[in-house]
Amino acid sequence: MSPKVTITWGSSRPGGIDVTLAGLCRQTFQDFELILVDGRYHQRHQRVLEAVKASGLKQPFYHVPNYRYSPGPFGTTCAGLNTGFALA
């Protein structure tokens, strides 16, 4: 069964992921999935996955680059969010 809520979150900053994950893990409403659209995906994909594992997040989690559907070498946050919406 699909989650009731999809949280699509965009980030190009290196910090703050752990704080966001900790807050999500403490929510009383747990029927959600998390999609992180990341402007620095290739530089920190492994660190993000480790942070998710360490947080104890049990909901579905997707980490996508911000340019997956964007033509050309430089993606945009909008293209990344469209990727997140397509995944949802």
Side-chain angles (χ1 to χ4, degrees), residues 37-85:
V37 178
D38 195 348
R40 297 192 175 146
Y41 175 90
H42 295 292
Q43 297 171 357
R44 63 182 180 159
H45 181 65
Q46 191 60 40
R47 284 188 294 158
V48 168
L49 296 180
E50 290 167 6
V52 169
K53 185 177 179 181
S55 74
L57 186 74
K58 302 209 180 342
Q59 291 76 10
F61 174 81
Y62 305 95
H63 186 211
V64 298
N66 71 342
Y67 56 84
R68 188 164 161 186
Y69 287 160
S70 179
F74 301 104
T76 64
T77 302
C78 292
L81 291 173
N82 285 340
T83 301
F85 296 142

